[in-house]
Amino acid sequence: MFHIVTTDIFNRSLLDELCQLTTVIRTIAKSREGARFLQELLSTRRAMLYFTQPSTRTFLSMNNACHILGIRTSEIRDPEVSSEVKGESFEDSIRTFSSYVDLIVMRTPQPGYAARAAALMDSIPRRVPVINAGSGKDQHPTQALLDIYTLERSFENAGGADGKTIGMMGDLKRGRTVRSLCRLMCHYRDVQLVFISPPAFEMEPDIKDYLRGHRIEYSETNNLQHVLPELDAIYVTRMQSEYDIESESSSVDLARFSIAADELKRMKSSAVIMHPLPRGPEIHRSVDTDPRSMYWRQERNGMWMRAALIATVFRVSDQIRDAASRFTAC
Ligand code: CP
């Protein structure tokens, strides 16, 4: 594993290893000695966080994941303060970052830029890994990893993500988190996906083709109430209104694609509610206290999963596993 640009590089054994490593890291980090051990692992390394599209949790969890492993971070979050305003090309900017750091984590409003950065790195002598932290409407591979980890943990006494019926609701057309999660779900056995969206925001054909190609069953509906009792998990997403051309999000009757008290009553007692966050009105605040709500744990899981991913990229995962028994009973 070097660049993390798409979900295509992951297979089931790698996903299982990453989930296991995530739990080991979070457990080691609980003790002062364990946290110190982790911070020394990559203390000579530096990372660039290049986020030209807004982010709260991906930025903060990547930043803190780096710090957990001792990596020092620099950031550019606004292209207006980089030399791109003087006309420097995207490629020259990325190459410049790579002169100073050992890892580039990047989020862009357009698809394809992380792939361009990775291709550039593969063509120069000082090649550093690129991690895609969200590329337009297309991909969000590290979010999908933390979503998998959250599913696996939520169902750890019920067979994990295998065999589960998972609803994905909201703006599926422009939601990169659901697009990436669908791709990873292909590595789990007997999964059924239920897409719940307004007609104009259905899952795009490329993902449906991908699922058919991997023999993953899916169905589509715009009737949440009808499918809710069948779901083991519901992954709720917001309207991605930042991609609106003519305020099309505002035409959606969100009440039909939201979770509130009435929906909680119709869900399985064992079901889990997930959301990549930030949320809009699609999950009522009163849902936060329901034990089935996993979204706050899910965002915290992101920091630990991203630490596991970075540790794997820098090949210190075996060191962490070997040291686990010194700090924990895991
Ligand atoms: N889930 C997610 O990507 O959140 P941010 O946009 O806050 O990073």
PDB file of all heavy atoms in Angstrom, residues 174-189:
ATOM      1  N   ARG A 174     -24.788  12.372  -5.434  1.00  0.00           N
ATOM      2  CA  ARG A 174     -23.609  13.244  -5.324  1.00  0.00           C
ATOM      3  C   ARG A 174     -22.830  12.987  -4.034  1.00  0.00           C
ATOM      4  O   ARG A 174     -21.945  13.757  -3.671  1.00  0.00           O
ATOM      5  CB  ARG A 174     -24.053  14.707  -5.392  1.00  0.00           C
ATOM      6  CG  ARG A 174     -24.881  14.997  -6.644  1.00  0.00           C
ATOM      7  CD  ARG A 174     -25.389  16.404  -6.680  1.00  0.00           C
ATOM      8  NE  ARG A 174     -26.294  16.711  -5.575  1.00  0.00           N
ATOM      9  CZ  ARG A 174     -26.891  17.882  -5.408  1.00  0.00           C
ATOM     10  NH1 ARG A 174     -26.686  18.859  -6.276  1.00  0.00           N
ATOM     11  NH2 ARG A 174     -27.698  18.096  -4.386  1.00  0.00           N
ATOM     12  N   GLY A 175     -23.183  11.895  -3.338  1.00  0.00           N
ATOM     13  CA  GLY A 175     -22.532  11.615  -2.059  1.00  0.00           C
ATOM     14  C   GLY A 175     -21.335  10.699  -2.241  1.00  0.00           C
ATOM     15  O   GLY A 175     -21.491   9.494  -2.484  1.00  0.00           O
ATOM     16  N   ARG A 176     -20.146  11.245  -2.094  1.00  0.00           N
ATOM     17  CA  ARG A 176     -18.945  10.416  -2.323  1.00  0.00           C
ATOM     18  C   ARG A 176     -18.774   9.366  -1.230  1.00  0.00           C
ATOM     19  O   ARG A 176     -18.154   8.329  -1.453  1.00  0.00           O
ATOM     20  CB  ARG A 176     -17.711  11.312  -2.410  1.00  0.00           C
ATOM     21  CG  ARG A 176     -17.447  12.151  -1.165  1.00  0.00           C
ATOM     22  CD  ARG A 176     -16.391  13.199  -1.426  1.00  0.00           C
ATOM     23  NE  ARG A 176     -16.255  14.131  -0.311  1.00  0.00           N
ATOM     24  CZ  ARG A 176     -15.699  15.332  -0.414  1.00  0.00           C
ATOM     25  NH1 ARG A 176     -15.242  15.744  -1.566  1.00  0.00           N
ATOM     26  NH2 ARG A 176     -15.603  16.115   0.641  1.00  0.00           N
ATOM     27  N   THR A 177     -19.334   9.623  -0.036  1.00  0.00           N
ATOM     28  CA  THR A 177     -19.140   8.641   1.038  1.00  0.00           C
ATOM     29  C   THR A 177     -19.879   7.342   0.715  1.00  0.00           C
ATOM     30  O   THR A 177     -19.326   6.252   0.865  1.00  0.00           O
ATOM     31  CB  THR A 177     -19.619   9.181   2.400  1.00  0.00           C
ATOM     32  OG1 THR A 177     -21.024   9.450   2.325  1.00  0.00           O
ATOM     33  CG2 THR A 177     -18.884  10.445   2.784  1.00  0.00           C
ATOM     34  N   VAL A 178     -21.119   7.463   0.256  1.00  0.00           N
ATOM     35  CA  VAL A 178     -21.871   6.241  -0.068  1.00  0.00           C
ATOM     36  C   VAL A 178     -21.283   5.548  -1.293  1.00  0.00           C
ATOM     37  O   VAL A 178     -21.286   4.313  -1.382  1.00  0.00           O
ATOM     38  CB  VAL A 178     -23.383   6.510  -0.274  1.00  0.00           C
ATOM     39  CG1 VAL A 178     -24.108   6.575   1.041  1.00  0.00           C
ATOM     40  CG2 VAL A 178     -23.631   7.750  -1.096  1.00  0.00           C
ATOM     41  N   ARG A 179     -20.778   6.335  -2.222  1.00  0.00           N
ATOM     42  CA  ARG A 179     -20.174   5.726  -3.424  1.00  0.00           C
ATOM     43  C   ARG A 179     -18.963   4.867  -3.027  1.00  0.00           C
ATOM     44  O   ARG A 179     -18.808   3.739  -3.488  1.00  0.00           O
ATOM     45  CB  ARG A 179     -19.744   6.823  -4.411  1.00  0.00           C
ATOM     46  CG  ARG A 179     -20.920   7.543  -5.057  1.00  0.00           C
ATOM     47  CD  ARG A 179     -20.459   8.724  -5.910  1.00  0.00           C
ATOM     48  NE  ARG A 179     -19.473   8.351  -6.907  1.00  0.00           N
ATOM     49  CZ  ARG A 179     -19.748   7.751  -8.062  1.00  0.00           C
ATOM     50  NH1 ARG A 179     -21.005   7.462  -8.361  1.00  0.00           N
ATOM     51  NH2 ARG A 179     -18.797   7.443  -8.905  1.00  0.00           N
ATOM     52  N   SER A 180     -18.107   5.419  -2.147  1.00  0.00           N
ATOM     53  CA  SER A 180     -16.929   4.650  -1.732  1.00  0.00           C
ATOM     54  C   SER A 180     -17.322   3.471  -0.844  1.00  0.00           C
ATOM     55  O   SER A 180     -16.739   2.385  -0.944  1.00  0.00           O
ATOM     56  CB  SER A 180     -15.936   5.563  -0.993  1.00  0.00           C
ATOM     57  OG  SER A 180     -15.298   6.418  -1.914  1.00  0.00           O
ATOM     58  N   LEU A 181     -18.307   3.678   0.025  1.00  0.00           N
ATOM     59  CA  LEU A 181     -18.718   2.582   0.915  1.00  0.00           C
ATOM     60  C   LEU A 181     -19.304   1.418   0.111  1.00  0.00           C
ATOM     61  O   LEU A 181     -19.024   0.246   0.407  1.00  0.00           O
ATOM     62  CB  LEU A 181     -19.721   3.101   1.952  1.00  0.00           C
ATOM     63  CG  LEU A 181     -20.199   2.086   2.988  1.00  0.00           C
ATOM     64  CD1 LEU A 181     -19.029   1.452   3.749  1.00  0.00           C
ATOM     65  CD2 LEU A 181     -21.180   2.729   3.971  1.00  0.00           C
ATOM     66  N   CYS A 182     -20.095   1.727  -0.910  1.00  0.00           N
ATOM     67  CA  CYS A 182     -20.645   0.646  -1.766  1.00  0.00           C
ATOM     68  C   CYS A 182     -19.517  -0.210  -2.321  1.00  0.00           C
ATOM     69  O   CYS A 182     -19.618  -1.444  -2.361  1.00  0.00           O
ATOM     70  CB  CYS A 182     -21.421   1.244  -2.937  1.00  0.00           C
ATOM     71  SG  CYS A 182     -23.072   1.753  -2.517  1.00  0.00           S
ATOM     72  N   ARG A 183     -18.452   0.434  -2.769  1.00  0.00           N
ATOM     73  CA  ARG A 183     -17.328  -0.318  -3.365  1.00  0.00           C
ATOM     74  C   ARG A 183     -16.693  -1.249  -2.323  1.00  0.00           C
ATOM     75  O   ARG A 183     -16.344  -2.382  -2.628  1.00  0.00           O
ATOM     76  CB  ARG A 183     -16.285   0.641  -3.922  1.00  0.00           C
ATOM     77  CG  ARG A 183     -16.752   1.309  -5.199  1.00  0.00           C
ATOM     78  CD  ARG A 183     -15.798   2.414  -5.611  1.00  0.00           C
ATOM     79  NE  ARG A 183     -16.137   2.929  -6.921  1.00  0.00           N
ATOM     80  CZ  ARG A 183     -15.595   2.487  -8.057  1.00  0.00           C
ATOM     81  NH1 ARG A 183     -14.701   1.543  -8.038  1.00  0.00           N
ATOM     82  NH2 ARG A 183     -15.961   2.999  -9.218  1.00  0.00           N
ATOM     83  N   LEU A 184     -16.551  -0.769  -1.091  1.00  0.00           N
ATOM     84  CA  LEU A 184     -15.943  -1.643  -0.069  1.00  0.00           C
ATOM     85  C   LEU A 184     -16.898  -2.746   0.389  1.00  0.00           C
ATOM     86  O   LEU A 184     -16.460  -3.834   0.767  1.00  0.00           O
ATOM     87  CB  LEU A 184     -15.478  -0.819   1.132  1.00  0.00           C
ATOM     88  CG  LEU A 184     -14.229   0.042   0.928  1.00  0.00           C
ATOM     89  CD1 LEU A 184     -13.731   0.581   2.268  1.00  0.00           C
ATOM     90  CD2 LEU A 184     -13.100  -0.712   0.233  1.00  0.00           C
ATOM     91  N   MET A 185     -18.198  -2.463   0.332  1.00  0.00           N
ATOM     92  CA  MET A 185     -19.154  -3.492   0.784  1.00  0.00           C
ATOM     93  C   MET A 185     -19.081  -4.745  -0.085  1.00  0.00           C
ATOM     94  O   MET A 185     -19.510  -5.824   0.334  1.00  0.00           O
ATOM     95  CB  MET A 185     -20.594  -2.948   0.744  1.00  0.00           C
ATOM     96  CG  MET A 185     -20.957  -1.907   1.784  1.00  0.00           C
ATOM     97  SD  MET A 185     -20.450  -2.197   3.483  1.00  0.00           S
ATOM     98  CE  MET A 185     -21.074  -3.805   3.851  1.00  0.00           C
ATOM     99  N   CYS A 186     -18.506  -4.610  -1.282  1.00  0.00           N
ATOM    100  CA  CYS A 186     -18.386  -5.783  -2.172  1.00  0.00           C
ATOM    101  C   CYS A 186     -17.468  -6.851  -1.581  1.00  0.00           C
ATOM    102  O   CYS A 186     -17.451  -7.978  -2.071  1.00  0.00           O
ATOM    103  CB  CYS A 186     -17.850  -5.340  -3.534  1.00  0.00           C
ATOM    104  SG  CYS A 186     -19.049  -4.356  -4.423  1.00  0.00           S
ATOM    105  N   HIS A 187     -16.698  -6.503  -0.556  1.00  0.00           N
ATOM    106  CA  HIS A 187     -15.793  -7.483   0.061  1.00  0.00           C
ATOM    107  C   HIS A 187     -16.471  -8.251   1.201  1.00  0.00           C
ATOM    108  O   HIS A 187     -15.816  -9.058   1.865  1.00  0.00           O
ATOM    109  CB  HIS A 187     -14.535  -6.784   0.578  1.00  0.00           C
ATOM    110  CG  HIS A 187     -13.763  -6.104  -0.518  1.00  0.00           C
ATOM    111  ND1 HIS A 187     -13.157  -6.797  -1.531  1.00  0.00           N
ATOM    112  CD2 HIS A 187     -13.543  -4.799  -0.781  1.00  0.00           C
ATOM    113  CE1 HIS A 187     -12.581  -5.946  -2.373  1.00  0.00           C
ATOM    114  NE2 HIS A 187     -12.800  -4.726  -1.934  1.00  0.00           N
ATOM    115  N   TYR A 188     -17.750  -7.970   1.430  1.00  0.00           N
ATOM    116  CA  TYR A 188     -18.444  -8.627   2.554  1.00  0.00           C
ATOM    117  C   TYR A 188     -19.514  -9.578   2.000  1.00  0.00           C
ATOM    118  O   TYR A 188     -20.144  -9.306   0.985  1.00  0.00           O
ATOM    119  CB  TYR A 188     -19.017  -7.548   3.495  1.00  0.00           C
ATOM    120  CG  TYR A 188     -17.860  -6.841   4.172  1.00  0.00           C
ATOM    121  CD1 TYR A 188     -17.199  -5.802   3.525  1.00  0.00           C
ATOM    122  CD2 TYR A 188     -17.345  -7.286   5.380  1.00  0.00           C
ATOM    123  CE1 TYR A 188     -16.069  -5.207   4.081  1.00  0.00           C
ATOM    124  CE2 TYR A 188     -16.229  -6.695   5.944  1.00  0.00           C
ATOM    125  CZ  TYR A 188     -15.591  -5.662   5.295  1.00  0.00           C
ATOM    126  OH  TYR A 188     -14.482  -5.096   5.844  1.00  0.00           O
ATOM    127  N   ARG A 189     -19.646 -10.687   2.711  1.00  0.00           N
ATOM    128  CA  ARG A 189     -20.516 -11.776   2.231  1.00  0.00           C
ATOM    129  C   ARG A 189     -21.998 -11.488   2.482  1.00  0.00           C
ATOM    130  O   ARG A 189     -22.357 -10.979   3.560  1.00  0.00           O
ATOM    131  CB  ARG A 189     -20.147 -13.096   2.945  1.00  0.00           C
ATOM    132  CG  ARG A 189     -18.859 -13.730   2.465  1.00  0.00           C
ATOM    133  CD  ARG A 189     -18.614 -15.046   3.188  1.00  0.00           C
ATOM    134  NE  ARG A 189     -18.399 -14.854   4.622  1.00  0.00           N
ATOM    135  CZ  ARG A 189     -17.230 -14.506   5.174  1.00  0.00           C
ATOM    136  NH1 ARG A 189     -16.173 -14.317   4.403  1.00  0.00           N
ATOM    137  NH2 ARG A 189     -17.114 -14.359   6.473  1.00  0.00           N
TER     138      ARG A 189
END
